[in-house]
Amino acid sequence: MLKALLEPKSIAVIGASRTPGKIGYVILKNIMNYGYKGKIYPINPNANEILGLKAYPSVLSVPEEVDVAVIAIPAQEVPKAIEECGKKGVKVAVVISSGFSEVGNVELEEKIVKIAREHGVRILGPNIFGYAYTHLNINATFGPLEIEKGNIALISQSGALGIALMGWTIMNEIGLSALFSVGNMADIDVAELSELLADDPNTKVIAIYLEGVKSGRGREFVEKMSKVTMKKPVVVIKAGRTSRGMKAVASHTGSLAGSDALYDAAFKQSGIIRASTVEEMFDIARAFAQQPLPRGENTIIITNGGGVGVLATDAAELSGVKLIEPSQNLINAFKQTMPWFGSPRNPVDLTGQAVVDNYIKALKVAVESPEIDNIVILYCRTAILDPRDLAKAIVEFYEENKVNKATVISFVGGQDTYDAMKYLNRHNLPSYPSPERAVNALSKMIWYKKFVEHKTRK
Ligand code: COA
C-alpha cells in the first residue's frame, strides 16, 4: 500500500489551484516540471484546465485509476476528500493542509484517520510540505523544484526545516533519493517510512530529523528501527535535547519529547546513529551514501601536513577509530613514496613538499596493503600542489583501480580547496573542510559495521 508512494502510476492534486503562488498551484507545477512521467490529474471544482492539464471536479470523476492524491484544500474539507479518495481506490493521501492536531483540532484529525481506515487509504501528514522520490522524478512538494538526485532518503518531522533543508541539500550538492515530510503523523509515521525505504533499492542511507515518537509507540519504534538498521544505516538528529528544547518540541508537533537519555538509549539499542547537528547528519549520511562499508577497523592517515595529521589522530583516538601501527614492510613501502624527511608511520606524512605523484604512490601502497581497511586522505593548501590537480588525480586513481576501501577526505584551505572538494564529492569521495569531520564520519561507519556484525552473530 505504502509502496504506492514510490511507484505511483498516477498522482492527483486535490486543490490544484489556478492562482500562481498558492500551495496547490506550486505543488502541481513542481510535479509537472520536475519531470514525473506518470499521469497527473488536477482536481478543482472551479476550473476546467490548470497549467495546460484537464482539471476534474472531484477525484471520483477521473476516468482512470489514481494511486496517490496530494490534498491541499482547507482542513474542514479534507474529510470529504479522503472519503472520495477511498471510494476511488487511492492508496495514499498526502495531506498538506494544516489545521489539525497541531492547533488542537484533534477531533478533525481523528475523523480523517477513521474515514481513511474505513476505506483502506493511508495518510501521510496532515500538516506537511509533501514528498519527493527523485528516481521517478516526483517532486510533490511546495519547496524548491530542483532536488539533487542521489541515494540519501530524508525524513523530516518539521515542515519549515524540511523545506529549508531541501534548499541546503541543493546548495551542498547532497543527492536525495526521497524526501518525506511527516507532520502530525496521524497515520504513517517515521518508523513505517523507514521500513519502506529500507527496501528501496535507490536508497542507501536514511537521514531523519526527529522531534519525538508518538506517545505509547516507543517500543514499536525500537522494534521496527532495529530491523531497518540491519538493512540500511539510519542517521538521526533528535531535537529537544535540553529541557527547554523539549518544551519547544511539545508545543511544535505535540510529540512526546521524553527524556533525552531515553532516546539516546533507544537509538543505541536500535543501531541508529545519532548526530548532534544538521551538518553532522549530512556529513555521516554522505559517507554512507558514497562509500563502501568499512571492511574492518584498521585505518591509515595520509597527509601532507603534520598539523592536520595530529588533529585527525586525536579525532580518531577520541572516536574509537583504530589507527594501525604499520609493519616494517609497510613502513618500507611508504618510505618509497616520500622525501627522506617524511614520516612513513601513521599518519603517513608526505610533507609540505608533496606533489600528486607522492599521494598516488602512497595511496597505491595503502590500497594494496592487507594491513589497511580504511583510508583518511588529508591535504593542506600549499603553493607546491594545486588542490584541484590532486582531486582529479585521486578520482582517477579510485575509478581506475575500483578502490573498495572506505575513504574519507579533508582538504584544508581557501576557495580552490573548496572547489576541489566539490569535485571529489561529485565523484563519490566524501570530503570535508576539517579533518575532524572526515574522521567523525568514518568513525560512525565503523561503528555501524560493527553493530551489524555483532547483531548478525547473535
Ligand atoms: N476540492 C478540490 N479543489 C478545491 C476544493 C475541493 N474540495 N476546495 C477548494 N478547492 C480549490 C480552490 O478553488 C482553489 O483553487 P483556485 O485558486 O483555482 O480557486 C484551491 O483548491 C485551493 O483552495 P483555497 O480555498 O483557495 O485554499 P488555499 O490555497 O488558500 O489554502 C491550504 C489551502 C491547504 C494551502 C491551506 O488551507 C493550508 O492548510 N495551508 C497551510 C499548509 C501548510 O503550511 N502545511 C504544512 C507545511 S509544513
Side-chain angles (χ1 to χ4, degrees):
M1 197 72 158
L2 221 55
K3 212 157 173 253
L5 285 167
L6 307 187
E7 52 184 26
K9 292 198 177 64
S10 54
I11 303 176
V13 180
I14 302 178
S17 166
R18 295 159 292 182
T19 319
K22 272 197 183 181
I23 285 184
Y25 177 90
V26 177
I27 292 177
L28 178 66
K29 201 165 165 223
N30 274 352
I31 296 174
M32 291 170 69
N33 290 355
Y34 194 58
Y36 173 60
K37 297 283 186 299
K39 298 250 171 64
I40 307 169
Y41 301 111
I43 312 294
N44 185 327
N46 307 310
N48 295 321
E49 193 189 285
I50 303 173
L51 286 163
L53 293 177
K54 178 176 164 48
Y56 296 85
S58 149
V59 74
L60 288 170
S61 42
V62 174
E64 286 159 86
E65 276 183 29
V66 174
D67 288 332
V68 168
V70 182
I71 301 181
I73 53 177
Q76 62 279 11
E77 294 178 40
V78 173
K80 185 164 172 263
I82 300 271
E83 190 170 352
E84 291 179 354
C85 284
K87 288 184 180 149
K88 180 70 189 164
V90 169
K91 296 180 180 92
V92 186
V94 177
V95 184
I96 305 290
S97 319
S98 300
F100 294 88
S101 66
E102 84 284 3
V103 290
N105 215 345
V106 179
E107 261 174 44
L108 190 61
E109 190 159 305
E110 284 172 356
K111 188 172 172 185
I112 61 166
V113 174
K114 186 165 175 279
I115 296 170
R117 298 236 158 101
E118 278 166 11
H119 290 84
V121 182
R122 301 301 310 268
I123 292 181
L124 183 65
N127 187 32
I128 61 174
F129 64 83
Y131 92 100
Y133 186 59
T134 61
H135 292 269
L136 285 186
N137 295 331
I138 297 169
N139 179 353
T141 75
F142 60 90
L145 171 68
E146 289 303 339
I147 307 167
E148 188 88 14
K149 290 182 182 176
N151 45 23
I152 301 174
L154 176 63
I155 302 174
S156 178
Q157 206 173 346
S158 158
L161 181 66
I163 297 179
L165 289 180
M166 273 176 90
W168 202 80
T169 54
I170 295 165
M171 195 175 77
N172 291 290
E173 298 186 1
I174 292 168
L176 300 181
S177 55
L179 171 67
F180 288 99
S181 170
V182 291
N184 299 359
M185 298 196 288
D187 176 22
I188 300 168
D189 65 7
V190 169
E192 215 180 338
L193 280 177
S194 301
E195 286 179 322
L196 176 73
L197 293 163
D199 292 326
D200 170 36
N202 297 308
T203 295
K204 245 180 119 179
V205 47
I206 302 167
I208 304 172
Y209 168 83
L210 186 74
E211 292 205 339
V213 175
K214 281 209 149 187
S215 106
R217 295 175 81 167
R219 190 180 296 262
E220 185 189 326
F221 178 83
V222 170
E223 273 168 18
K224 287 186 174 172
M225 295 309 285
S226 300
K227 291 192 185 117
V228 170
T229 56
M230 291 305 282
K231 297 182 184 172
K232 306 256 164 93
V234 177
V235 190
V236 166
I237 173 155
K238 162 74 178 66
R241 288 192 100 122
T242 60
S243 58
R244 273 191 97 129
M246 274 185 229
K247 277 187 199 144
V249 161
S251 67
H252 183 201
T253 38
S255 309
L256 200 74
S259 114
D260 193 63
L262 215 66
Y263 272 101
D264 223 35
F267 292 158
K268 281 208 183 91
Q269 196 191 334
S270 327
I272 291 174
I273 297 153
R274 184 172 188 171
S276 318
T277 61
V278 167
E279 185 180 73
E280 191 192 8
M281 176 173 77
F282 283 113
D283 275 1
I284 300 166
R286 212 145 44 82
F288 277 114
Q290 297 179 323
Q291 284 295 295
L293 275 185
R295 306 185 316 183
E297 301 181 69
N298 297 329
T299 303
I300 193 96
I301 299 171
I302 298 173
T303 180
N304 71 338
V308 283
V310 175
L311 290 175
T313 304
D314 274 345
E317 287 288 303
L318 291 169
S319 59
V321 171
K322 187 178 157 207
L323 299 178
I324 59 154
E325 296 295 341
S327 67
Q328 195 54 51
N329 267 351
L330 191 52
I331 288 174
N332 292 344
F334 276 129
K335 258 190 191 156
Q336 308 302 314
T337 72
M338 60 183 61
W340 64 268
F341 46 86
S343 169
R345 293 172 187 276
N346 197 3
V348 174
D349 187 353
L350 304 172
T351 80
Q353 192 176 301
V355 290
V356 164
D357 192 48
N358 299 103
Y359 269 97
I360 298 304
K361 279 187 177 144
L363 281 172
K364 200 162 181 297
V365 171
V367 166
E368 283 169 7
S369 166
E371 293 172 44
I372 296 169
D373 298 317
N374 314 306
I375 306 170
V376 180
I377 307 173
L378 306 178
Y379 161 84
C380 278
R381 180 69 170 108
T382 64
I384 312 289
L385 174 53
D386 187 313
R388 290 158 298 193
D389 293 340
L390 179 60
K392 268 202 189 117
I394 293 175
V395 167
E396 221 172 86
F397 175 80
Y398 271 71
E399 287 180 355
E400 261 174 26
N401 295 283
K402 297 191 173 57
V403 176
N404 66 350
K405 293 192 174 181
T407 301
V408 290
I409 301 178
S410 174
F411 277 20
V412 182
Q415 184 60 44
D416 50 9
T417 54
Y418 179 77
D419 294 341
M421 280 192 286
K422 275 202 147 184
Y423 181 81
L424 289 162
N425 281 324
R426 270 183 223 144
H427 290 84
N428 284 327
L429 285 159
S431 306
Y432 308 88
S434 77
E436 295 90 341
R437 280 171 62 182
V439 170
N440 181 50
L442 179 65
S443 77
K444 300 300 195 282
M445 290 174 84
I446 295 172
W447 180 86
Y448 173 73
K449 158 88 175 173
K450 287 205 302 206
F451 177 88
V452 172
E453 265 177 9
H454 181 71
K455 283 267 298 242
T456 317
R457 253 187 267 122
K458 262 188 181 175

